[in-house]
Every structure is written in structure tokens, then in C-alpha cells.
Amino acid sequence: MSVDFSKPECRKITSEPLFGLCDDDNKSPAYLDLANNAIWIATVINVNEKEITFTAIDNCIEIFRENGDIESRCDVMLTSDICLYLVELKNKVSDWRSEGIDQLEATIITLKNLESAFYFSFKKRKAYVANRRHPRFVKAEPEVMERFRDIHRIRLYLEATIRIN
């Protein structure tokens, strides 16, 4: 089984200093937006204007389980020269953290199993669950975050602001 994370129709390159990640939650892929911050679920701050490759994963990149069912996936992958950012976009009041973490984990496991060299080629790896309804979620869950980092070798954040560094 192979997965093509480089499908041109799922990718866009930007070096904008500020942009938003959006998901209309209508079975279409997530997208980036430069102008209408009212629809942004996550805000990306790219102060140094690095070239960022945006890849829509959910509803764009097909990932199947061994039984043929579609695998749960996160919404977005952002990559720069040394950083990998995986992002799950939510617009929910409850049960968004565990659901988002599960979707990130499914995508990470796929990357580690099928694209290990790609996954581990990044000096920094970060995973975000961003929720429009809780953009500044402050309840720390250190044991969940530590377990996530230990298992997947990627840092987990529960917030809607992504700083590209």
C-alpha cells in the first residue's frame, strides 16, 4: 500500500507572513486563506516568510486501512525546510481534543510506516489540534503530551496559533 502525499491538486506553496487554515466541514479539503480571518480555524504566523508547502490531507490524500476502509486523517500538513507541522482543524464545543489527537495519530502512524525517511527528515516535528471554539485552550495535559512525544517523536499542541520557525 502506498500513499501519495505530493498530489499537486492537494498542495499549495506560500511564503506569506500570515495566513489561515480553513475547513468548511463539507467533505471538501481544507485550504489556506490569506484575507478573511473570520473563517480561519488556525492562524499561521510565518514571520521570516519561509517557503511553506501546504498539503490538504483529509478529503484529498487517500489513506486506506488494510481492510479497504478509509483511514481517519488529519486535515493539513505544512512543511518547511526543517519543520513538519500536522494540523487537525476543529469547530466543536466538546470531545474535540481526543478526536483530534486520534486523527493526528492515524496520520502520523501512516507517515512513519510508509514515509519514514520523509517523516524523520525534519529537524522539528509538531502536531496541532486547533479548535475555532477554543483557540486559546489552556488546560495542560502533560501526561498525554509526553506520551504522544515519546511514542511518535513529535510535539503535540492544543492551540490555534502556529508559529513557523
Side-chain angles (χ1 to χ4, degrees), residues 70-101:
I70 195 85
E71 181 63 82
S72 177
R73 300 152 292 184
C74 71
D75 291 302
V76 173
M77 176 172 62
L78 301 172
T79 53
S80 69
D81 53 346
I82 61 169
C83 296
L84 167 70
Y85 304 86
L86 295 169
V87 185
E88 175 56 28
L89 302 170
K90 295 290 183 194
N91 188 18
K92 295 179 77 173
V93 174
S94 64
D95 198 32
W96 58 274
R97 289 169 295 180
S98 60
E99 185 179 295
I101 291 169

Side-chain angles (χ1 to χ4, degrees), residues 1-3 5 27 57-75 88 99 101-111 113-114:
M1 173 175 68
S2 68
V3 177
F5 284 97
K27 301 298 180 197
I57 296 179
D58 194 19
N59 298 310
C60 204
I61 306 289
E62 294 179 340
I63 303 173
F64 295 97
R65 296 182 182 134
E66 287 185 23
N67 68 3
D69 291 346
I70 195 85
E71 181 63 82
S72 177
R73 300 152 292 184
C74 71
D75 291 302
E88 175 56 28
E99 185 179 295
I101 291 169
D102 290 347
Q103 288 172 278
L104 285 168
E105 282 190 300
T107 306
I108 291 166
I109 289 166
T110 299
L111 279 167
N113 289 341
L114 301 178

Side-chain angles (χ1 to χ4, degrees), residues 13-79:
I13 295 175
T14 186
S15 57
E16 290 292 327
L18 183 71
F19 59 93
L21 302 179
C22 307
D23 185 2
D24 294 337
D25 209 19
N26 61 2
K27 301 298 180 197
S28 62
Y31 56 96
L32 68 87
D33 180 82
L34 303 175
N36 187 3
N37 65 356
I39 63 171
W40 297 359
I41 296 175
T43 301
V44 180
I45 301 171
N46 183 15
V47 177
N48 296 322
E49 298 183 20
K50 287 187 173 190
E51 184 174 278
I52 306 297
T53 301
F54 165 94
T55 305
I57 296 179
D58 194 19
N59 298 310
C60 204
I61 306 289
E62 294 179 340
I63 303 173
F64 295 97
R65 296 182 182 134
E66 287 185 23
N67 68 3
D69 291 346
I70 195 85
E71 181 63 82
S72 177
R73 300 152 292 184
C74 71
D75 291 302
V76 173
M77 176 172 62
L78 301 172
T79 53

Side-chain angles (χ1 to χ4, degrees), residues 4 12 53 56 110 112 128 150:
D4 183 6
K12 184 171 181 165
T53 301
T110 299
K112 286 182 358 185
Y128 288 82
D150 290 346

Side-chain angles (χ1 to χ4, degrees), residues 141-155:
E141 297 184 37
E143 51 288 328
V144 171
M145 295 172 142
E146 187 175 329
R147 180 194 70 80
F148 198 89
R149 186 187 69 238
D150 290 346
I151 292 171
H152 300 298
R153 312 310 306 159
I154 188 169
R155 292 196 179 273

